[in-house]
Amino acid sequence: MAAERVFTEQLIEVCPEKAVEELTEALEQDSDKADYYCQRAYAYLLLQNYKEVVEDANKALQLKPNYASAYLKKGIAEYHLKMYPSSMESFTRGQELDDENASFSTWIKTCKENLDSTGQQDGNAEEAVPKIKHDWYQTDSHVIVTIMIKNASKDDVKVEFAESNVSASVKLSAENHFKLKLNLLHPIATQYCAVKVLGTKIEIKLKKTEATRWEKLEGALPDIKNFIPVQSLQYPSSSQCTRNWDKLVMEIKQEENDEKPEGDAALNQLFQKIYADGTDEVKRAMNKSFTESGGTVLSTNWTEVGNKTVAVNPPDDMEWKKL
């Protein structure tokens, strides 16, 4: 009889992709192992493949109905899929089975806050708020986002503008609100943005800071230049001396790169250096603590965090909320 294969969380965290492959092979040989499904669910969770997490956790629970760890992983994945009622049910059941695990209490509190804010008390998100489409188009100077809600009242429409994002909330009824948050591809001039509430739709007009064509509405800018000149450009000037403007831009960028970061930027740089220079145990500790705590804990001590679930622990003067 072949020896049973062991997959610890430490091994899974080193390379989740490889763990998925090996656990899949193990399940092909023994498909009745609840532990294998739960461990593969953990690997999928680290890879943010949340639908696969739910599927594997459900298989583990079919084989082992009182598996608290499977309920925890299932609940976290359902939360990220915005299935808040199902997530609440998973966390509540898991807490009944393992009330010493503080992670259940933390996640239950977070779920309650989202259920209160979205109005999801029964059923899933699609049942609580009807599906509402939004679209966008652009001109040389503006990006216009349209929300397809008819006959909305101006008093029920709230829009907040920030340089890199816009948030909209529309009251549909006493119980339901439509909410939309967009992380914009490019910055906007917030002081020149506006909202129009029409009979057939709501228009959100965003003023571009530059006359640049947006390839998409949301997302991070690619790490490439928007414009690459064929040759070095020398613009006309009234001065007898010509100036290479491309060279000047490069010099300015070099000065910016040479500046020492301060505040949060300096702290992030420090964490990156610790991770890059750290041992495998330090990297595992940082990955595990950051993932399980929702980004509120970053530990380099594997002995401290290796054998327990790291609970969410925001600063005393702050309240942790999952977005």
Side-chain angles (χ1 to χ4, degrees):
M1 180 177 179
E4 182 176 317
R5 302 176 68 177
V6 178
F7 299 90
T8 64
E9 288 192 351
Q10 295 95 315
L11 289 175
I12 294 171
E13 287 155 6
V14 170
C15 185
E17 295 90 346
K18 184 174 178 60
V20 168
E21 293 178 4
E22 293 186 356
L23 282 160
T24 301
E25 291 177 1
L27 283 165
E28 288 175 355
Q29 299 175 14
D30 187 355
S31 61
D32 293 330
K33 287 286 295 182
D35 287 344
Y36 287 168
Y37 284 112
C38 191
Q39 288 159 353
R40 192 171 67 175
Y42 182 56
Y44 280 134
L45 191 60
L46 294 175
L47 296 171
Q48 300 182 10
N49 296 341
Y50 300 122
K51 290 184 178 179
E52 287 81 357
V53 176
V54 174
E55 290 177 4
D56 272 4
N58 281 333
K59 290 175 182 176
L61 290 167
Q62 288 174 4
L63 297 167
K64 190 176 177 181
N66 295 329
Y67 204 165
S69 181
Y71 276 113
L72 179 61
K73 294 172 177 63
K74 180 173 181 278
I76 293 174
E78 289 170 334
Y79 180 90
H80 285 289
L81 293 170
K82 298 184 179 181
M83 300 165 60
Y84 302 128
S86 298
S87 179
M88 173 68 79
E89 184 179 341
S90 296
F91 290 136
T92 301
R93 178 59 181 145
Q95 188 181 49
E96 292 172 357
L97 297 168
D98 183 7
D99 58 3
E100 294 182 359
N101 190 336
S103 295
F104 286 115
S105 298
T106 302
W107 279 105
I108 287 172
K109 180 180 178 182
T110 304
C111 271
K112 284 182 178 178
E113 292 172 354
N114 278 279
L115 286 168
D116 291 341
S117 65
T118 60
Q120 297 181 51
Q121 296 300 330
D122 297 297
N124 55 31
E126 287 74 19
E127 293 172 342
V129 179
K131 284 187 177 181
I132 293 173
K133 293 183 179 180
H134 70 275
D135 205 348
W136 71 287
Y137 64 94
Q138 62 182 305
T139 64
D140 289 340
S141 59
H142 288 83
V143 169
I144 297 90
V145 179
T146 57
I147 303 174
M148 305 305 180
I149 297 179
K150 295 182 179 180
N151 302 318
S153 169
K154 290 183 179 180
D155 294 336
D156 293 335
V157 179
K158 308 293 181 186
V159 180
E160 295 181 359
F161 301 102
E163 183 178 325
S164 59
N165 62 72
V166 58
S167 300
S169 175
V170 183
K171 183 179 180 181
L172 305 177
S173 65
E175 296 81 15
N176 293 329
H177 288 73
F178 169 78
K179 293 187 178 182
L180 176 67
K181 183 170 183 180
L182 302 171
N183 296 311
L184 303 172
L185 179 65
H186 294 283
I188 57 174
T190 57
Q191 65 272 32
Y192 300 114
C193 296
V195 180
K196 282 186 179 180
V197 180
L198 307 174
T200 56
K201 60 185 177 181
I202 299 167
E203 281 191 355
I204 303 174
K205 195 171 185 180
L206 309 176
K207 179 70 170 69
K208 295 180 179 179
T209 56
E210 297 180 357
T212 304
R213 181 167 183 81
W214 292 24
E215 297 300 324
K216 54 183 179 178
L217 180 60
E218 295 185 89
L221 283 168
D223 189 20
I224 59 173
K225 293 181 179 179
N226 288 326
F227 175 71
I228 303 176
V230 175
Q231 60 183 5
S232 179
L233 298 179
Q234 294 182 343
Y235 295 96
S237 169
S238 59
S239 171
Q240 293 180 353
C241 299
T242 60
R243 174 171 290 182
N244 188 322
W245 291 100
D246 288 338
K247 182 179 179 182
L248 179 60
V249 169
M250 294 300 295
E251 290 174 351
I252 293 173
K253 288 184 176 180
Q254 184 61 45
E255 290 178 3
E256 292 175 347
N257 291 334
D258 292 340
E259 288 182 1
K260 292 184 177 180
E262 297 178 356
D264 290 342
L267 190 61
N268 286 334
Q269 188 180 77
L270 174 62
F271 289 151
Q272 290 171 6
K273 188 175 187 305
I274 292 173
Y275 187 88
D277 297 340
T279 63
D280 288 342
E281 282 196 354
V282 168
K283 292 178 180 179
R284 288 202 301 270
M286 294 179 75
N287 284 330
K288 186 174 189 293
S289 59
F290 189 85
T291 300
E292 294 182 349
S293 70
T296 62
V297 176
L298 188 61
S299 173
T300 60
N301 189 341
W302 180 251
T303 302
E304 181 181 76
V305 302
N307 296 321
K308 66 178 182 179
T309 301
V310 182
V312 174
N313 186 25
D316 292 337
D317 58 341
M318 298 182 70
E319 182 180 358
W320 182 84
K321 290 187 177 181
K322 190 72 177 181
L323 297 179

